[in-house]
Amino acid sequence: MYSCGALRRGWGHCAPSPILFFSLLLSAAPFGLLGEETRQLLEFDSATSDAAAKPPGKPYPPYSLAEFSWNNITDSLYPATLSATFQGHPKGDPTGAFANGSLAFRVQAFARSGRPDQPPRLLHTADTCQLEVALVGASPRGNHSLFGIEVATVGQSPDCPMIQEQHSIDDEYAPTVFQLYQLLWGSLPSGFAQWRPVAFSQEKAGRESALSCQAFPLHPTVAHSLPQSPVVQAFFGLQEKYCTFNLTFGASTGPGYWDQHYLSWSMLLGVGLPPVDALSPLILGIMTVALGIPGLMLLGAGLTLILRCKHASEYQSIN
């Protein structure tokens, strides 16, 4: 991907991060940088597997994103809000699965620090962009289909980076989600991707429509399995190694895509050090009350004991 930073006055220059998805802003064909093994929308039949299975069910033939027809980006590019949407469907759709559906990639750059209005409300800065993936209205090939995507990154070291998992006691911005996943590249680091392990099965994201998000370890992919992209070559030169990993959304039980034929998931991309979440005011208030009340009780007990001792020392016995 490529992440855009410091876009305070419109669509300025994009600072490179060694992720491939942000080529969406730089190419008329979304996922034109991804190859045969990594330009796919995945679908699994979860009815044939238990909740702990990997992959989460029998896979259906994947949808190749290189064989999608995409909208004209100029129709959905909004410089005032630093946002753009790529929307597409398969060129050939013999089963009619996408007759009333589409796959969309919404890219949002930020001019200042803050949080989006919709969960999972990741903290962003002016050096970050948000990528949201939304599958809407497509007919699944099973009664309990689970979907996923495949992500590719440029390999810049002998080994692929590992997905780091961070834990927190704070879930104010993403209720019931206490984890944050991130990928870092380089020693500075030079780039990062962050996401919470949650997707949503309704357009109005909330706790009742939350789906689990499972990330699989990265593995190397040789360059000849990916098409040579002029965008990647311009930023990184000829590449001999890439790393790929899968993300799947949902489980065989609970809410799912089958509820409203809707699925959305988002991640944050950027350069430099990733934003670090501080405890929210609500959690700080709860901690203050939780720690303050016992402290006040101990203080009150101590004062009572001191006063009793003082009264006892002032008592004069009568002979």
Side-chain angles (χ1 to χ4, degrees):
M1 302 177 187
Y2 296 94
S3 58
C4 285
L7 299 180
R8 299 180 183 273
R9 297 183 180 177
W11 292 102
H13 177 67
C14 288
S17 167
I19 319 169
L20 293 182
F21 269 160
F22 206 71
S23 61
L24 296 174
L25 280 180
L26 305 177
S27 171
F31 287 84
L33 302 181
L34 305 183
E36 295 177 355
E37 296 180 359
T38 57
R39 55 183 181 186
Q40 300 169 349
L41 171 68
L42 310 174
E43 184 177 357
F44 304 91
D45 181 8
S46 67
T48 63
S49 178
D50 58 57
K54 297 181 181 181
K58 180 181 178 181
Y60 291 103
Y63 293 102
S64 173
L65 301 187
E67 297 174 2
F68 271 47
S69 174
W70 301 94
N71 68 309
N72 189 337
I73 185 58
T74 58
D75 296 332
S76 60
L77 180 65
Y78 303 102
T81 59
L82 305 179
S83 63
T85 299
F86 292 86
Q87 191 172 38
H89 54 81
K91 296 176 183 176
D93 188 15
T95 64
F98 280 81
N100 299 307
S102 65
L103 179 66
F105 296 90
R106 301 175 185 136
V107 184
Q108 173 73 62
F110 302 105
R112 61 185 64 86
S113 298
R115 297 181 187 272
D117 295 331
Q118 290 281 344
R121 303 193 64 197
L122 285 172
L123 177 66
H124 60 72
T125 66
D127 294 320
T128 60
C129 290
Q130 178 177 277
L131 172 65
E132 180 184 1
V133 183
L135 179 65
V136 183
S139 298
R141 286 171 282 189
N143 292 330
H144 284 76
S145 285
L146 302 181
F147 289 90
I149 57 174
E150 207 166 21
V151 182
T153 74
V154 174
Q156 292 188 319
S157 63
D159 300 318
C160 291
M162 294 185 63
I163 297 176
Q164 302 176 3
E165 182 177 358
Q166 300 179 352
H167 293 266
S168 173
I169 62 172
D170 192 347
D171 71 335
E172 179 181 0
Y173 301 112
T176 72
V177 181
F178 298 92
Q179 298 84 27
L180 175 70
Y181 289 170
Q182 66 180 20
L183 280 172
L184 304 178
W185 291 266
S187 57
L188 297 177
S190 59
F192 66 87
Q194 278 186 342
W195 68 93
R196 290 196 183 275
V198 63
F200 298 95
S201 62
Q202 296 180 21
E203 187 171 0
K204 186 176 171 127
R207 184 187 313 217
E208 64 282 353
S209 63
L211 310 175
S212 61
C213 171
Q214 187 173 23
F216 294 80
L218 281 80
H219 59 273
T221 299
V222 291
H224 65 72
S225 68
L226 300 171
Q228 293 300 314
S229 165
V231 177
V232 172
Q233 290 183 24
F235 278 109
F236 304 106
L238 290 175
Q239 293 294 312
E240 298 182 354
K241 177 187 171 185
Y242 295 83
C243 298
T244 61
F245 67 99
N246 289 351
L247 290 165
T248 59
F249 312 111
S252 57
T253 58
Y257 177 79
W258 50 82
D259 291 331
Q260 297 189 12
H261 286 188
Y262 182 89
L263 172 69
S264 69
W265 169 83
S266 60
M267 75 186 314
L268 193 70
L269 310 171
V271 293
L273 293 171
V276 178
D277 258 333
L279 292 176
S280 67
L282 175 62
I283 297 299
L284 288 175
I286 293 174
M287 292 177 63
T288 300
V289 172
L291 297 176
I293 290 178
L296 290 175
M297 292 177 64
L298 289 174
L299 180 61
L303 289 174
T304 301
L305 183 60
I306 292 174
L307 291 175
R308 285 182 177 178
C309 291
K310 183 178 180 181
H311 287 312
S313 63
E314 292 176 351
Y315 175 74
Q316 299 279 340
S317 60
I318 300 176
N319 295 327

CSV table of all heavy atoms in Angstrom, one decimal, residues 119-120 122 163-168 174-182 194-200 209-216 247-251 264-267:
chain,number,residue,atom,x,y,z
A,119,PRO,N,-17.2,3.2,14.4
A,119,PRO,CA,-16.2,2.2,14.9
A,119,PRO,C,-15.5,1.5,13.8
A,119,PRO,O,-16.0,1.5,12.7
A,119,PRO,CB,-17.1,1.2,15.7
A,119,PRO,CG,-18.4,1.9,16.0
A,119,PRO,CD,-18.6,2.9,14.8
A,120,PRO,N,-14.2,1.1,14.1
A,120,PRO,CA,-13.6,1.0,15.4
A,120,PRO,C,-12.9,2.3,15.8
A,120,PRO,O,-12.1,2.3,16.8
A,120,PRO,CB,-12.6,-0.1,15.1
A,120,PRO,CG,-12.2,0.0,13.7
A,120,PRO,CD,-13.5,0.4,13.0
A,122,LEU,N,-10.2,4.2,15.0
A,122,LEU,CA,-8.8,4.2,15.3
A,122,LEU,C,-8.2,5.6,15.3
A,122,LEU,O,-8.6,6.5,14.5
A,122,LEU,CB,-8.0,3.4,14.2
A,122,LEU,CG,-8.1,1.9,14.3
A,122,LEU,CD1,-7.5,1.3,13.1
A,122,LEU,CD2,-7.4,1.4,15.6
A,163,ILE,N,2.9,-9.9,12.5
A,163,ILE,CA,1.8,-9.1,13.0
A,163,ILE,C,1.8,-9.0,14.5
A,163,ILE,O,1.9,-10.0,15.2
A,163,ILE,CB,0.4,-9.7,12.5
A,163,ILE,CG1,0.3,-9.7,11.0
A,163,ILE,CG2,-0.7,-9.0,13.1
A,163,ILE,CD1,-0.9,-10.4,10.5
A,164,GLN,N,1.9,-7.8,15.0
A,164,GLN,CA,2.0,-7.6,16.4
A,164,GLN,C,0.6,-7.4,17.0
A,164,GLN,O,-0.2,-6.6,16.4
A,164,GLN,CB,2.9,-6.3,16.7
A,164,GLN,CG,4.3,-6.4,16.2
A,164,GLN,CD,5.1,-5.2,16.4
A,164,GLN,OE1,4.6,-4.2,17.0
A,164,GLN,NE2,6.3,-5.1,15.9
A,165,GLU,N,0.4,-8.0,18.2
A,165,GLU,CA,-0.9,-7.8,18.8
A,165,GLU,C,-0.7,-7.1,20.1
A,165,GLU,O,0.1,-7.4,21.0
A,165,GLU,CB,-1.5,-9.2,19.1
A,165,GLU,CG,-2.9,-9.1,19.8
A,165,GLU,CD,-3.5,-10.5,20.0
A,165,GLU,OE1,-2.9,-11.5,19.6
A,165,GLU,OE2,-4.6,-10.6,20.6
A,166,GLN,N,-1.5,-6.0,20.3
A,166,GLN,CA,-1.4,-5.2,21.5
A,166,GLN,C,-2.8,-5.3,22.2
A,166,GLN,O,-3.8,-5.4,21.6
A,166,GLN,CB,-1.1,-3.7,21.2
A,166,GLN,CG,0.2,-3.5,20.5
A,166,GLN,CD,0.5,-2.1,20.1
A,166,GLN,OE1,-0.4,-1.2,20.3
A,166,GLN,NE2,1.7,-1.8,19.7
A,167,HIS,N,-2.7,-5.3,23.6
A,167,HIS,CA,-3.9,-5.4,24.4
A,167,HIS,C,-4.1,-4.1,25.2
A,167,HIS,O,-3.1,-3.4,25.6
A,167,HIS,CB,-3.8,-6.6,25.3
A,167,HIS,CG,-3.8,-7.9,24.6
A,167,HIS,ND1,-4.9,-8.7,24.4
A,167,HIS,CD2,-2.8,-8.6,24.0
A,167,HIS,CE1,-4.6,-9.8,23.7
A,167,HIS,NE2,-3.3,-9.8,23.5
A,168,SER,N,-5.3,-3.8,25.5
A,168,SER,CA,-5.7,-2.7,26.3
A,168,SER,C,-6.9,-3.0,27.2
A,168,SER,O,-7.7,-3.9,26.9
A,168,SER,CB,-6.0,-1.5,25.4
A,168,SER,OG,-6.5,-0.4,26.1
A,174,ALA,N,-14.2,1.1,20.6
A,174,ALA,CA,-14.5,-0.1,19.9
A,174,ALA,C,-15.0,-1.1,21.0
A,174,ALA,O,-14.3,-1.9,21.5
A,174,ALA,CB,-13.4,-0.7,19.2
A,175,PRO,N,-16.3,-1.0,21.3
A,175,PRO,CA,-16.9,-1.8,22.4
A,175,PRO,C,-16.6,-3.3,22.3
A,175,PRO,O,-16.8,-3.8,21.2
A,175,PRO,CB,-18.4,-1.5,22.4
A,175,PRO,CG,-18.4,-0.1,21.8
A,175,PRO,CD,-17.3,-0.1,20.8
A,176,THR,N,-16.1,-3.9,23.4
A,176,THR,CA,-15.8,-5.3,23.5
A,176,THR,C,-14.6,-5.7,22.7
A,176,THR,O,-14.2,-6.9,22.6
A,176,THR,CB,-17.0,-6.3,23.1
A,176,THR,OG1,-17.2,-6.2,21.6
A,176,THR,CG2,-18.3,-5.8,23.8
A,177,VAL,N,-13.9,-4.8,22.1
A,177,VAL,CA,-12.6,-5.1,21.4
A,177,VAL,C,-11.5,-4.5,22.1
A,177,VAL,O,-11.3,-3.3,22.2
A,177,VAL,CB,-12.7,-4.5,19.9
A,177,VAL,CG1,-11.4,-4.9,19.2
A,177,VAL,CG2,-13.9,-5.1,19.2
A,178,PHE,N,-10.6,-5.4,22.7
A,178,PHE,CA,-9.5,-4.9,23.5
A,178,PHE,C,-8.1,-5.2,22.8
A,178,PHE,O,-7.1,-5.0,23.5
A,178,PHE,CB,-9.5,-5.7,24.8
A,178,PHE,CG,-10.8,-5.4,25.6
A,178,PHE,CD1,-11.9,-6.3,25.5
A,178,PHE,CD2,-10.9,-4.3,26.5
A,178,PHE,CE1,-13.0,-6.0,26.3
A,178,PHE,CE2,-12.0,-4.1,27.2
A,178,PHE,CZ,-13.1,-4.9,27.1
A,179,GLN,N,-8.1,-5.5,21.5
A,179,GLN,CA,-6.9,-5.8,20.8
A,179,GLN,C,-6.7,-4.8,19.7
A,179,GLN,O,-7.6,-4.3,19.1
A,179,GLN,CB,-6.9,-7.2,20.3
A,179,GLN,CG,-6.9,-8.3,21.3
A,179,GLN,CD,-8.4,-8.7,21.6
A,179,GLN,OE1,-9.3,-8.4,20.9
A,179,GLN,NE2,-8.6,-9.2,22.8
A,180,LEU,N,-5.4,-4.6,19.4
A,180,LEU,CA,-5.0,-3.8,18.2
A,180,LEU,C,-3.9,-4.5,17.5
A,180,LEU,O,-2.9,-5.0,18.1
A,180,LEU,CB,-4.5,-2.4,18.7
A,180,LEU,CG,-4.0,-1.5,17.6
A,180,LEU,CD1,-5.1,-1.1,16.6
A,180,LEU,CD2,-3.2,-0.3,18.1
A,181,TYR,N,-4.1,-4.8,16.2
A,181,TYR,CA,-3.0,-5.4,15.4
A,181,TYR,C,-2.3,-4.4,14.6
A,181,TYR,O,-2.9,-3.4,14.1
A,181,TYR,CB,-3.6,-6.4,14.5
A,181,TYR,CG,-4.2,-7.7,15.1
A,181,TYR,CD1,-5.0,-8.6,14.4
A,181,TYR,CD2,-4.0,-8.0,16.5
A,181,TYR,CE1,-5.5,-9.7,15.0
A,181,TYR,CE2,-4.5,-9.1,17.1
A,181,TYR,CZ,-5.3,-10.0,16.3
A,181,TYR,OH,-5.8,-11.1,16.9
A,182,GLN,N,-1.0,-4.6,14.4
A,182,GLN,CA,-0.2,-3.7,13.6
A,182,GLN,C,1.0,-4.4,12.9
A,182,GLN,O,1.5,-5.4,13.4
A,182,GLN,CB,0.3,-2.5,14.4
A,182,GLN,CG,1.3,-2.8,15.4
A,182,GLN,CD,1.7,-1.5,16.2
A,182,GLN,OE1,1.0,-0.4,16.1
A,182,GLN,NE2,2.9,-1.5,16.8
A,194,GLN,N,-2.3,-0.5,10.8
A,194,GLN,CA,-3.0,-0.8,12.1
A,194,GLN,C,-4.5,-1.2,11.8
A,194,GLN,O,-5.1,-0.6,10.9
A,194,GLN,CB,-3.0,0.4,13.0
A,194,GLN,CG,-1.7,0.6,13.8
A,194,GLN,CD,-1.9,1.7,14.8
A,194,GLN,OE1,-2.7,2.6,14.7
A,194,GLN,NE2,-1.0,1.8,15.8
A,195,TRP,N,-5.0,-2.1,12.6
A,195,TRP,CA,-6.4,-2.4,12.5
A,195,TRP,C,-6.8,-3.1,13.8
A,195,TRP,O,-6.0,-3.7,14.5
A,195,TRP,CB,-6.7,-3.3,11.3
A,195,TRP,CG,-6.2,-4.7,11.3
A,195,TRP,CD1,-6.8,-5.8,11.8
A,195,TRP,CD2,-4.9,-5.1,10.9
A,195,TRP,NE1,-6.0,-6.9,11.7
A,195,TRP,CE2,-4.8,-6.5,11.1
A,195,TRP,CE3,-3.8,-4.5,10.3
A,195,TRP,CZ2,-3.7,-7.3,10.8
A,195,TRP,CZ3,-2.7,-5.2,10.0
A,195,TRP,CH2,-2.7,-6.6,10.3
A,196,ARG,N,-8.1,-3.0,14.1
A,196,ARG,CA,-8.7,-3.8,15.2
A,196,ARG,C,-9.3,-5.1,14.6
A,196,ARG,O,-9.9,-5.0,13.5
A,196,ARG,CB,-9.7,-3.0,16.0
A,196,ARG,CG,-9.1,-1.8,16.8
A,196,ARG,CD,-10.1,-1.3,17.8
A,196,ARG,NE,-9.5,-0.2,18.5
A,196,ARG,CZ,-8.7,-0.3,19.6
A,196,ARG,NH1,-8.4,-1.5,20.0
A,196,ARG,NH2,-8.2,0.8,20.2
A,197,PRO,N,-9.3,-6.2,15.3
A,197,PRO,CA,-9.8,-7.4,14.8
A,197,PRO,C,-11.3,-7.5,14.8
A,197,PRO,O,-11.9,-8.3,15.5
A,197,PRO,CB,-9.2,-8.5,15.7
A,197,PRO,CG,-9.0,-7.8,17.0
A,197,PRO,CD,-8.6,-6.3,16.7
A,198,VAL,N,-11.9,-6.6,14.1
A,198,VAL,CA,-13.4,-6.5,14.1
A,198,VAL,C,-13.9,-6.0,12.8
A,198,VAL,O,-13.2,-5.1,12.2
A,198,VAL,CB,-13.9,-5.6,15.3
A,198,VAL,CG1,-13.5,-4.2,15.1
A,198,VAL,CG2,-15.4,-5.7,15.3
A,199,ALA,N,-14.9,-6.6,12.2
A,199,ALA,CA,-15.6,-6.1,11.0
A,199,ALA,C,-17.1,-5.9,11.4
A,199,ALA,O,-17.5,-6.3,12.5
A,199,ALA,CB,-15.4,-7.1,9.9
A,200,PHE,N,-17.9,-5.5,10.5
A,200,PHE,CA,-19.3,-5.2,10.8
A,200,PHE,C,-20.2,-5.7,9.7
A,200,PHE,O,-19.9,-5.6,8.5
A,200,PHE,CB,-19.5,-3.7,11.0
A,200,PHE,CG,-18.7,-3.2,12.2
A,200,PHE,CD1,-17.5,-2.6,12.0
A,200,PHE,CD2,-19.2,-3.3,13.5
A,200,PHE,CE1,-16.7,-2.1,13.0
A,200,PHE,CE2,-18.4,-2.8,14.6
A,200,PHE,CZ,-17.2,-2.2,14.3
A,209,SER,N,-23.6,-5.7,15.5
A,209,SER,CA,-23.2,-6.2,14.2
A,209,SER,C,-21.7,-6.5,14.1
A,209,SER,O,-21.2,-6.7,13.0
A,209,SER,CB,-23.6,-5.2,13.1
A,209,SER,OG,-22.9,-4.0,13.4
A,210,ALA,N,-21.0,-6.6,15.2
A,210,ALA,CA,-19.6,-6.8,15.2
A,210,ALA,C,-19.2,-8.3,14.8
A,210,ALA,O,-19.9,-9.2,15.3
A,210,ALA,CB,-18.9,-6.5,16.5
A,211,LEU,N,-18.3,-8.4,13.9
A,211,LEU,CA,-17.8,-9.7,13.5
A,211,LEU,C,-16.3,-9.8,13.9
A,211,LEU,O,-15.5,-8.8,13.8
A,211,LEU,CB,-17.9,-9.9,12.0
A,211,LEU,CG,-19.3,-9.6,11.4
A,211,LEU,CD1,-19.2,-9.8,9.8
A,211,LEU,CD2,-20.3,-10.6,11.9
A,212,SER,N,-15.8,-11.0,14.2
A,212,SER,CA,-14.4,-11.2,14.5
A,212,SER,C,-13.6,-11.1,13.2
A,212,SER,O,-14.1,-11.4,12.1
A,212,SER,CB,-14.2,-12.6,15.2
A,212,SER,OG,-14.6,-13.6,14.3
A,213,CYS,N,-12.4,-10.7,13.3
A,213,CYS,CA,-11.5,-10.6,12.2
A,213,CYS,C,-10.2,-11.4,12.5
A,213,CYS,O,-9.6,-11.2,13.5
A,213,CYS,CB,-11.1,-9.1,11.9
A,213,CYS,SG,-9.8,-8.9,10.7
A,214,GLN,N,-9.9,-12.4,11.7
A,214,GLN,CA,-8.8,-13.3,11.9
A,214,GLN,C,-7.7,-13.0,10.9
A,214,GLN,O,-7.9,-13.0,9.7
A,214,GLN,CB,-9.2,-14.7,11.9
A,214,GLN,CG,-8.1,-15.7,12.3
A,214,GLN,CD,-8.7,-17.1,12.4
A,214,GLN,OE1,-9.7,-17.5,11.7
A,214,GLN,NE2,-8.0,-18.0,13.1
A,215,ALA,N,-6.5,-12.8,11.4
A,215,ALA,CA,-5.3,-12.5,10.5
A,215,ALA,C,-4.4,-13.7,10.5
A,215,ALA,O,-4.1,-14.3,11.6
A,215,ALA,CB,-4.5,-11.3,11.0
A,216,PHE,N,-3.9,-14.2,9.4
A,216,PHE,CA,-3.0,-15.3,9.3
A,216,PHE,C,-1.6,-14.8,9.1
A,216,PHE,O,-1.4,-13.7,8.6
A,216,PHE,CB,-3.5,-16.2,8.1
A,216,PHE,CG,-4.8,-16.8,8.2
A,216,PHE,CD1,-6.0,-16.1,8.0
A,216,PHE,CD2,-4.9,-18.2,8.6
A,216,PHE,CE1,-7.2,-16.7,8.2
A,216,PHE,CE2,-6.1,-18.8,8.8
A,216,PHE,CZ,-7.3,-18.1,8.6
A,247,LEU,N,-6.8,-12.2,5.5
A,247,LEU,CA,-7.7,-11.7,6.6
A,247,LEU,C,-9.1,-12.3,6.3
A,247,LEU,O,-9.6,-12.2,5.2
A,247,LEU,CB,-7.8,-10.2,6.6
A,247,LEU,CG,-6.6,-9.4,7.1
A,247,LEU,CD1,-6.7,-8.0,6.6
A,247,LEU,CD2,-6.4,-9.5,8.6
A,248,THR,N,-9.7,-12.9,7.3
A,248,THR,CA,-11.1,-13.5,7.2
A,248,THR,C,-12.0,-12.8,8.2
A,248,THR,O,-11.5,-12.4,9.3
A,248,THR,CB,-11.1,-15.0,7.3
A,248,THR,OG1,-10.6,-15.3,8.6
A,248,THR,CG2,-10.3,-15.7,6.3
A,249,PHE,N,-13.3,-12.7,7.9
A,249,PHE,CA,-14.2,-11.9,8.7
A,249,PHE,C,-15.4,-12.8,9.1
A,249,PHE,O,-16.1,-13.4,8.2
A,249,PHE,CB,-14.7,-10.7,8.0
A,249,PHE,CG,-13.5,-9.9,7.3
A,249,PHE,CD1,-13.4,-9.9,5.9
A,249,PHE,CD2,-12.6,-9.2,8.1
A,249,PHE,CE1,-12.4,-9.2,5.4
A,249,PHE,CE2,-11.6,-8.5,7.5
A,249,PHE,CZ,-11.4,-8.5,6.2
A,250,GLY,N,-15.7,-12.9,10.4
A,250,GLY,CA,-16.8,-13.5,10.9
A,250,GLY,C,-16.6,-15.0,11.4
A,250,GLY,O,-15.5,-15.5,11.3
A,251,ALA,N,-17.6,-15.6,11.9
A,251,ALA,CA,-17.6,-17.0,12.3
A,251,ALA,C,-18.8,-17.7,11.9
A,251,ALA,O,-19.8,-17.1,11.4
A,251,ALA,CB,-17.4,-17.0,13.9
A,264,SER,N,-18.1,-4.7,6.2
A,264,SER,CA,-17.1,-3.7,6.1
A,264,SER,C,-16.0,-3.9,7.1
A,264,SER,O,-16.3,-4.4,8.2
A,264,SER,CB,-17.8,-2.3,6.3
A,264,SER,OG,-18.2,-2.1,7.7
A,265,TRP,N,-14.8,-3.5,6.8
A,265,TRP,CA,-13.7,-3.6,7.6
A,265,TRP,C,-12.7,-2.5,7.2
A,265,TRP,O,-12.6,-2.1,6.0
A,265,TRP,CB,-13.0,-5.0,7.4
A,265,TRP,CG,-11.6,-5.1,8.1
A,265,TRP,CD1,-11.4,-5.3,9.4
A,265,TRP,CD2,-10.4,-4.9,7.4
A,265,TRP,NE1,-10.0,-5.4,9.6
A,265,TRP,CE2,-9.4,-5.1,8.4
A,265,TRP,CE3,-10.0,-4.6,6.1
A,265,TRP,CZ2,-8.0,-5.0,8.1
A,265,TRP,CZ3,-8.6,-4.5,5.8
A,265,TRP,CH2,-7.7,-4.7,6.8
A,266,SER,N,-12.0,-1.9,8.2
A,266,SER,CA,-11.1,-0.8,7.9
A,266,SER,C,-9.7,-1.0,8.5
A,266,SER,O,-9.6,-1.7,9.6
A,266,SER,CB,-11.7,0.5,8.3
A,266,SER,OG,-11.9,0.5,9.7
A,267,MET,N,-8.7,-0.4,8.0
A,267,MET,CA,-7.4,-0.4,8.5
A,267,MET,C,-6.8,1.0,8.3
A,267,MET,O,-7.2,1.8,7.5
A,267,MET,CB,-6.5,-1.4,7.9
A,267,MET,CG,-6.0,-1.1,6.5
A,267,MET,SD,-5.1,-2.4,5.7
A,267,MET,CE,-4.0,-3.0,7.0
